[in-house]
Every structure is written in structure tokens, then in C-alpha cells.
Amino acid sequence: MKRRKHTGLIWTIIIVAIVVIGGIAGFAHHRQQQAKTVTVGVVGLTNQQQKIWDQVGKTAKSKYGVTVKVKNFSDYNQPNKAVQNGDVDLNAFQHTAFLNAWNKANHGDLQSIGRTVIAPIRLYSKKYNSIKDLPNGATIAVPNDASNESRALYVLKNAGLITFKKGTGKLATIADIDKNTKNLKIKELSAEQTARSLNDVDAAVVNNTYAAPAGLTKKQTIYVEPLNQDSKQWINIIVAKKSDANKQAYKDVVKAFQTTQVKKLYQKYYGDTEKTAWDLNLK
């Protein structure tokens, strides 16, 4: 009788152990599955961009077992905060200069984990066909965030419309303008407003994120930003928190983006308006 009780106790312990181990294994599997789902924040998601991210997700899932989810934001102020707060895992909307400026202003620790594309920005006008046609005192709209305003001013400089004071660095401001022979009036607007302002101003520097949805094309383009060594800071990147930068699932998303299939989609949808940059040789 005692032996039966002893045997029954052993089996009870074994069953409990199996249940506990199974529960731990199930929980570990659930955590592993969570880790394999990566949410990426983007801005102004278009149908073309959705198809590109669909391709990224397809590659990430088939080659690395990673599920990619995309969360769309309406403006540039949100995605970095979302990564910093853990609301999304990564974001893919900004260039290096924008990230550096954001980190400095917000005491952030976000960092690039991979290059995506570079999108030469353009000076658009609905009133004039050439920068030579811009009248004296013309009003030019530019984005008002630090990095994109600097980029827009460099566009005006390269177009021969303004010059900078000696010693001006990569982050230029209106205060750095030296010569302004056409007495241009620089109107600072939020980046998402520059395209909408074209009916009210003579020209505007518009980021590609907002140019395409606004229906801006080569027809309204009067100057295109050149690509050279100075363009490195304008290369778009995939961004993570510094503490998460080495997570394998995040690296896998970068690898899934940097593929021949994605390159072909950019060529198909954007032609020369956006160039894949992970293998770009800037001279």
C-alpha cells in the first residue's frame, strides 16, 4: 500500500513537472514570436511605398522568419519619439542629418542601423519654368526643421541663388546667408506644408515624402539637388534605439530591405527621383 502511494506521488510530481516545463516552453515560444515581429514607423506612406514594404516583409518572413509591420505617421515629429518610447521598434523616414539634429535637441540615443535611399530634393514652382525666371523679391518656402531647412538652403546655394558666410557648417540657417542678389524672401514652414504653399509662393523646396502625394512632378521642377560627397548626410536610414541596435531581427529587416528586388521596385516607381543608397558611390 505504501509502495502504491509512493508510486502515485512520483507520477504526480512528474506530471506537474511536465506541465510546468511545457508552460515555460510555451511562454518562451511566445516571447520568441514577439521578438520576431518588428514594427517600422514611416511617414506619409504611399501605395508605392506600401508595395516596397510588402516586398521587404516577404523577404524578411521567408528568409529570416521575421514579421514586418508598418505604422504610418503623418509628420516628421512623431516616429523618433515612437522609437524612443518603444511604441515602434524601428523607423525609416529620415536622413542622417535629421537624426543627428533630433538626438541633439531631444537628448536621444537613436542610431542608424542601415542605409536605405537618397532622394534628391527639388525646388518646385507653379509660376515659373526656370530659376532664372524667379523675380527680384521672390518668396521661397523651405522646411522649418533644422536639418531640412539647412538642406533647402544648400539647394538654393547650389542653384546660385544665395551664398553663405565664410565658416558656415553643414547645418546652415537663414542667418548664414551672405549674398542674396535677388532679395529672395525665405518663408519657413513645416515640411508637410511646403508643397501646399506653392499656390501662394513663387517656389518651394519640398521633401520627396510630400512632393509625390501632392502630385508634384518634373513639370513643376526648376532645380534638382546635386549628389556628391556632401550628400552623405542626406542618405535615408533605418533607425533603432542604441540599446537595440544589435538585435538580430532588426539586422534582418535591414538585410531584407537592401535587396535587388527592392532596388528594382524603386527604379520602377521612382526612376531617378529616389536612388537606393546602400551601395551608392558618391564622388
Side-chain angles (χ1 to χ4, degrees):
M1 189 71 178
K2 288 183 179 180
R3 186 171 181 177
R4 286 182 179 177
K5 287 183 179 180
H6 183 66
T7 302
L9 180 60
I10 291 174
W11 276 109
T12 300
I13 293 172
I14 291 172
I15 291 170
V16 170
I18 291 172
V19 171
V20 171
I21 292 170
I24 293 173
F27 178 73
H29 178 71
H30 177 67
R31 289 295 298 273
Q32 186 178 28
Q33 288 298 105
Q34 282 185 320
K36 287 285 189 176
T37 297
V38 178
T39 302
V40 183
V42 300
V43 175
L45 187 69
T46 63
N47 290 334
Q48 293 91 335
Q49 289 169 340
Q50 181 64 64
K51 290 176 182 177
I52 289 169
W53 279 106
D54 287 345
Q55 176 60 52
V56 173
K58 182 179 178 181
T59 301
K61 188 67 174 178
S62 63
K63 291 192 70 172
Y64 310 112
V66 175
T67 299
V68 176
K69 294 183 177 180
V70 176
K71 183 173 181 178
N72 187 39
F73 293 95
S74 60
D75 65 65
Y76 291 160
N77 297 315
Q78 303 173 64
N80 280 335
K81 292 178 183 178
V83 171
Q84 194 77 58
N85 297 336
D87 296 329
V88 298
D89 302 303
L90 306 172
N91 68 46
F93 78 100
Q94 65 193 316
H95 46 60
T96 302
F98 186 93
L99 175 64
N100 291 342
W102 190 90
N103 274 334
K104 184 176 181 180
N106 295 275
H107 308 289
D109 67 344
L110 307 186
Q111 72 177 52
S112 168
I113 62 171
R115 291 179 171 186
T116 57
V117 300
I118 186 166
I121 59 174
R122 287 158 168 74
L123 181 63
Y124 295 95
S125 178
K126 291 184 177 180
K127 299 178 181 178
Y128 305 100
N129 297 319
S130 168
I131 57 172
K132 295 178 181 179
D133 298 331
L134 290 173
N136 189 63
T139 299
I140 312 292
V142 300
N144 65 1
D145 61 273
S147 62
N148 281 309
E149 178 170 300
S150 175
R151 186 179 188 182
L153 292 176
Y154 268 97
V155 167
L156 300 183
K157 172 185 174 291
N158 287 324
L161 295 172
I162 61 173
T163 64
F164 289 144
K165 296 174 183 176
K166 187 177 180 180
T168 298
K170 291 183 177 181
L171 200 63
T173 68
I174 290 176
D176 292 309
I177 295 175
D178 184 16
K179 294 181 180 179
N180 181 359
T181 55
K182 285 196 172 187
N183 298 307
L184 301 176
K185 298 173 183 176
I186 311 298
K187 187 174 185 178
E188 299 166 291
L189 299 172
S190 59
E192 65 272 17
Q193 293 293 328
T194 53
R196 301 174 194 171
S197 73
L198 276 169
N199 291 327
D200 304 313
V201 300
D202 295 294
V205 179
V206 183
N207 296 75
N208 284 18
T209 300
Y210 301 112
L216 297 177
T217 65
K218 289 182 179 180
K219 183 178 179 180
Q220 296 86 24
T221 301
I222 60 174
Y223 186 76
V224 181
E225 176 185 44
L227 295 183
N228 50 38
Q229 282 292 325
D230 292 334
S231 303
K232 287 183 178 179
Q233 62 178 327
W234 313 127
I235 291 177
N236 284 11
I237 48 182
I238 294 176
V239 169
K241 282 198 292 189
K242 184 177 180 180
S243 59
D244 294 337
N246 290 317
K247 284 189 175 182
Q248 188 58 50
Y250 296 178
K251 292 181 178 180
D252 291 338
V253 172
V254 173
K255 288 188 287 185
F257 194 102
Q258 296 176 346
T259 63
T260 301
Q261 294 95 325
V262 168
K263 184 184 287 288
K264 288 180 178 178
L265 287 176
Y266 269 97
Q267 291 170 344
K268 175 182 177 181
Y269 296 135
Y270 298 106
D272 62 354
T273 62
E274 293 193 25
K275 300 177 183 293
T276 52
W278 55 86
D279 56 357
L280 185 64
N281 183 23
L282 293 172
K283 297 180 180 180

